[in-house]
Amino acid sequence: MVFFSVVIPLYNKVDHIENTVKSILGQTFIDYEIIIINDGSTDASETIVRSFNEKRIKIFNQKNQGVSVARNFGIEKSSGKFIAFLDADDYWFPNHLEELNKLILDFPNCGIYCSRYKTKISTNHFKTPVFQGITNSFSGIINDYFYSNRPSRITWTSCLAISKEILENTGGFTPGVTNGQDLELWTKIGVNFPVAITNKTTAVYNYDIGKSLSKREINSMSLMDFEQFKIFEKHNPSLKKFLDLYRIEYGLHYYIFGNKTKFNFYLKDVDKENIPFKVQFLLKVPPFILQVFLKLKRKLKQSGIDFSIYK
């Protein structure tokens, strides 16, 4: 048994997968295996992976079924005590697994172990996430995970590790959920276990403007069932506010693209005091104008200018 199993879902990432795999092979902590689930790629992604000829890399193929099924398959095929996830277009600095290993040894009873990360928002611009109530120097168990899990997400998929046992007992990723499936699983674990974070930045999230949801995708996407957390929200105000922000985010996107039914569905359970003033203002603006604003925001992000309406 290895200590870490690195699980990578792979679908048409020919421009990124080589650098991603190299970032794993360059780790200072070497007790790991790499599990790559080729989710029906139609480009040369698999060929590039096989060219490494590295015994620690194990490739499994499946027809295209989405990232949730691919990650669950990777967990099933893994032999590691802990699962470290990495998306096929992100990468790690050489100390990533070493820092996670230290965190696990120092705080052995946590559900999720996280490193710090940077977000690459354009070719030459990086953004450092901010976590409410957590200083840059802090390392340890987070006092109030859901309070601190904003305005940026602490549990970004490519920066964390979770024991295989917890993942299996929690049920893994929900296959039918096509957007926010990671948010759902981290929330399930976060309500039952403490979360630890290191003060070292060890990973880079490669934000891709091309991944931004279109009108067609928004109206066809399947989101997690918020109802499953209602009993926890009653006793955890931080969790309620955290999930309300995502209800608002999804609802606002539906509003922008004209789906009033879905907009009302997600906003009906939001506490009024949890709706930021900026969002209250935007909901008074006609959707077609907001579509223009959204395109402008994406253009600015490509130029290195980023901001959030949820702060």
Side-chain angles (χ1 to χ4, degrees):
M1 175 186 288
V2 294
F3 193 81
F4 286 111
S5 291
V6 181
V7 172
I8 303 176
L10 177 62
Y11 180 72
N12 290 355
K13 296 295 181 181
V14 68
D15 294 331
H16 301 282
I17 189 60
E18 182 176 2
N19 287 336
T20 298
V21 173
K22 283 181 177 178
S23 78
I24 307 171
L25 297 177
Q27 292 296 299
T28 55
F29 184 91
I30 60 173
D31 187 14
Y32 64 83
E33 64 179 358
I34 303 172
I35 306 293
I36 296 179
I37 306 301
N38 180 27
D39 189 33
S41 293
T42 58
D43 63 7
S45 295
E46 182 185 358
T47 302
I48 291 173
V49 173
R50 292 192 181 279
S51 70
F52 281 96
N53 194 27
E54 165 62 53
K55 64 180 181 181
R56 287 175 294 184
I57 298 177
K58 301 174 183 178
I59 305 173
F60 299 91
N61 291 287
Q62 67 173 30
K63 66 178 182 179
N64 182 250
Q65 298 178 72
V67 67
S68 291
V69 174
R71 287 179 181 147
N72 287 343
F73 189 24
I75 295 168
E76 177 188 334
K77 292 297 183 181
S78 68
S79 64
K81 184 176 181 181
F82 285 85
I83 308 297
F85 296 99
L86 182 59
D87 284 348
D89 52 359
D90 298 329
Y91 61 91
W92 293 339
F93 297 133
N95 63 334
H96 179 71
L97 292 180
E98 181 179 349
E99 291 300 328
L100 288 180
N101 178 61
K102 289 178 183 177
L103 202 61
I104 291 167
L105 294 177
D106 289 341
F107 307 97
N109 298 314
C110 291
I112 309 177
Y113 298 91
C114 307
S115 73
R116 308 286 179 120
Y117 63 95
K118 291 184 178 180
T119 301
K120 186 177 182 181
I121 60 175
S122 64
T123 303
N124 299 310
H125 296 90
F126 292 81
K127 182 179 179 181
T128 300
V130 175
F131 311 125
Q132 194 165 242
I134 298 180
T135 64
N136 292 335
S137 61
F138 175 79
S139 181
I141 296 176
I142 300 165
N143 181 54
D144 187 337
Y145 164 63
F146 292 107
Y147 170 81
S148 295
N149 205 21
R150 57 182 198 268
S152 301
R153 288 265 296 277
I154 294 170
T155 41
W156 160 63
T157 304
S158 292
C159 81
L160 55 79
I162 302 170
S163 78
K164 182 175 181 176
E165 181 181 9
I166 287 177
L167 286 167
E168 290 178 333
N169 290 341
T170 309
F173 298 90
T174 304
V177 176
T178 59
N179 188 285
Q181 56 271 59
D182 52 349
L183 170 68
E184 178 185 34
L185 182 54
W186 311 153
T187 303
K188 285 181 180 179
I189 298 173
V191 297
N192 290 304
F193 296 92
V195 177
I197 189 170
T198 179
N199 54 18
K200 299 294 193 300
T201 298
T202 68
V204 172
Y205 165 38
N206 187 26
Y207 177 84
D208 182 1
I209 195 68
K211 293 178 182 175
S212 300
L213 291 169
S214 66
K215 178 178 181 178
R216 179 185 61 80
E217 290 168 329
I218 285 172
N219 286 318
S220 64
M221 67 183 179
S222 177
L223 304 176
M224 72 173 182
D225 179 11
F226 285 89
E227 292 289 324
Q228 65 187 300
F229 300 116
K230 278 199 168 181
I231 188 170
F232 297 103
E233 290 178 289
K234 289 180 180 179
H235 307 288
N236 189 334
S238 295
L239 172 62
K240 171 62 176 169
K241 188 166 186 177
F242 173 74
L243 290 178
D244 272 0
L245 287 177
Y246 283 93
R247 291 182 176 104
I248 293 166
E249 180 179 346
Y250 291 134
L252 181 59
H253 274 82
Y254 281 122
Y255 174 77
I256 290 173
F257 289 103
N259 192 329
K260 292 185 178 180
T261 301
K262 287 289 186 69
F263 163 72
N264 289 325
F265 176 79
Y266 285 103
L267 267 290
K268 66 180 173 60
D269 292 321
V270 174
D271 288 348
K272 294 282 194 293
E273 62 269 23
N274 289 340
I275 304 178
F277 175 77
K278 294 176 186 176
V279 175
Q280 295 179 40
F281 171 77
L282 291 176
L283 291 177
K284 298 177 182 178
V285 177
F288 74 91
I289 295 179
L290 294 182
Q291 290 179 31
V292 176
F293 285 169
L294 185 60
K295 289 179 181 179
L296 176 61
K297 184 177 185 296
R298 290 171 178 172
K299 286 289 185 182
L300 289 173
K301 193 163 189 174
Q302 285 181 307
S303 301
I305 302 171
D306 191 28
F307 59 90
S308 173
I309 62 171
Y310 302 104
K311 296 180 182 178

